[in-house]
Amino acid sequence: MSFAFGFNDDDISDEEVSQNLPKQDEASTASKVFQNATSGLDPKFLPQIHSLESILSKLVNVRITFDNYITPVGENVTYRRELYDIKHQVMCEDDEDGKQDDVVSNILMGDDNDLDLKRNIYEGGFKSWECSYDVVDYLAQNKDSLNKLHTILELGCGTSLPSCQALLQRITRSEDPIDGFKIILSDFNYEVLRLVTIPNLIIHWASTLDPEFLQELCDTSVEGSDDGPTLRNDEIILSQKLIDRFISDLRNKRIELVFISGSWGQEFLQIIERENIDLVISSETIYSLETLPIVAETVVELVGNGCRALIAAKNLYFGVGGSVAEFVSYIKKKNREDIKIEVEEVNSQLKRSLISIEKV
Ligand SMILES: C[S@@+](CC[C@H](N)C(=O)[O-])C[C@H]1O[C@@H](n2cnc3c(N)ncnc32)[C@H](O)[C@@H]1O
């Protein structure tokens, strides 16, 4: 066997991993979970590609409020659209359309301030989960290798802070954009992509602009009038001017953003099969025993085709059953001699790990 386990923590020993290995029948059941990942789902959760332009057309003139948050371990700056601001947008849109029964808006507007997971409806994409900061730190520390990549895929991106970091690096790098760079962002909920993934990507891009120029781009007033909007430094407006500039900047730097809503599974793999993905990143997606096989199968398939994967997760998800040990054992059970898996624990109180998987 060519698996290399890198646990630093006695809590998750190799011995425990092998005890947790699924037995043959468990493994085939888990594989079936992957094959049937989309069966029984509402058709709106079948995977679909969306262009940046199509999603942005539904965000014109939306004001975005964000915080800036320094990652606790690596001290990298991230920008995150505020949850109350997302709720405000949804409330205004509900008023305009008179549609009160949309599932995501119900979840956002409900009493549940923590936005708990609702299996097969909402899987936690509106808030930034801790392990995403570990991926941000990893990418910030490995700028040189990231610079060499052409296509990355973020699985279950949610607020997409790792992709935002990758975008930021590509935008600010000094070399000419000879090679193209593509980021594919996937999330279960289209509304997550629209309301938080794309706004966060734009805020990170906007952070690289001269503040006066940014103010000009955010101006939605009629030409010639003096009554432009007053913006605080934690706000931007997605004016048509700003959107056009974002799109043209990406084009000039040969950066492409592709969005896929809906569930992972066979159909998802078919959608991305022609992409030459160099790196898959995913944070906090192996939390449950239902989704863990789906992520593992997707990763094994992609790594088998030659890409690398970086999965960030808490060592144990209390109550839902997912864990780093389960994930590693699932992959080990596949008996793929061509795949190497390593686990590095992140220095944190609530134990977290970065799992690196690559072809040998
Ligand atoms: C716990 S959240 C983590 C979000 C983000 N990666 C982070 O770390 O902040 C899990 C994410 O995976 C996505 N997800 C869960 N199951 C999925 C599935 N079957 N297909 C696609 N995305 C899924 C959710 O929509 C959500 O954004």
Side-chain angles (χ1 to χ4, degrees), residues 117 119-120 122-132 154-160 162 186-189 192 262-264 282-285 287 291 294:
L117 311 182
R119 180 92 193 104
N120 284 341
Y122 165 70
E123 299 278 349
F126 283 117
K127 60 180 192 187
S128 297
W129 295 66
E130 270 178 305
C131 297
S132 63
E154 183 167 1
L155 279 179
C157 60
T159 61
S160 72
S186 106
D187 199 86
F188 192 71
N189 297 104
V192 165
S263 179
W264 313 308
S282 198
S283 150
E284 306 243 15
T285 47
Y287 47 87
T291 52
I294 307 177

Side-chain angles (χ1 to χ4, degrees), residues 40-41 241 327:
L41 281 184
K241 256 191 294 186
F327 182 75

Side-chain angles (χ1 to χ4, degrees), residues 65-71 76-82 133 161 200 203-204 207 233-235:
T65 308
F66 55 90
D67 72 358
N68 47 24
Y69 178 78
I70 314 277
T71 59
N76 291 293
V77 181
T78 62
Y79 303 95
R80 310 175 301 185
R81 185 177 189 190
E82 297 275 15
Y133 307 126
L161 298 180
N200 279 356
I203 299 162
H204 281 78
S207 74
N233 62 4
D234 60 353
E235 290 179 328

Side-chain angles (χ1 to χ4, degrees), residues 104-293:
V104 168
S105 86
N106 279 350
I107 286 169
L108 279 167
M109 292 304 134
D111 296 335
D112 187 0
N113 284 332
D114 283 341
L115 289 178
D116 275 346
L117 311 182
K118 305 250 183 308
R119 180 92 193 104
N120 284 341
I121 292 177
Y122 165 70
E123 299 278 349
F126 283 117
K127 60 180 192 187
S128 297
W129 295 66
E130 270 178 305
C131 297
S132 63
Y133 307 126
D134 299 332
V135 187
V136 169
D137 291 344
Y138 179 91
L139 296 175
Q141 267 165 19
N142 291 279
K143 284 195 174 112
D144 291 345
S145 353
L146 190 64
N147 252 330
K148 295 187 189 117
L149 305 182
H150 299 289
T151 305
I152 66 173
L153 164 67
E154 183 167 1
L155 279 179
C157 60
T159 61
S160 72
L161 298 180
S163 291
C164 291
Q165 170 65 216
L167 178 70
L168 203 54
Q169 284 184 26
R170 200 45 80 122
I171 286 173
T172 52
R173 78 173 190 171
S174 48
E175 298 102 67
D176 281 341
I178 304 165
D179 313 321
F181 183 56
K182 188 189 277 192
I183 310 180
I184 306 171
L185 298 112
S186 106
D187 199 86
F188 192 71
N189 297 104
Y190 171 82
E191 288 296 88
V192 165
L193 295 173
R194 183 176 80 93
L195 294 168
V196 70
T197 307
I198 290 190
N200 279 356
L201 288 161
I202 296 188
I203 299 162
H204 281 78
W205 160 77
S207 74
T208 66
L209 302 177
D210 168 73
E212 270 181 36
F213 179 54
L214 178 60
Q215 175 84 31
E216 249 174 63
L217 287 178
C218 291
D219 189 350
T220 49
S221 60
V222 182
E223 211 163 311
S225 82
D226 291 336
D227 52 353
T230 318
L231 281 183
R232 299 193 315 236
N233 62 4
D234 60 353
E235 290 179 328
I236 56 170
I237 295 179
L238 304 181
S239 68
Q240 193 59 55
K241 256 191 294 186
L242 180 125
I243 288 174
D244 292 346
R245 179 66 188 217
F246 178 57
I247 291 172
S248 72
D249 269 9
L250 293 183
R251 202 169 293 140
N252 292 340
K253 297 204 179 263
R254 304 199 54 205
I255 299 170
E256 189 184 352
L257 303 178
V258 175
F259 301 87
I260 306 178
S261 66
S263 179
W264 313 308
Q266 303 277 23
E267 298 91 338
F268 175 79
L269 280 179
Q270 276 159 16
I271 288 184
I272 55 168
E273 76 185 346
R274 268 187 237 109
E275 302 286 354
N276 277 326
I277 297 165
D278 304 300
L279 176 69
V280 178
I281 45 183
S282 198
S283 150
E284 306 243 15
T285 47
I286 58 167
Y287 47 87
S288 83
L289 292 176
E290 280 102 7
T291 52
L292 185 148

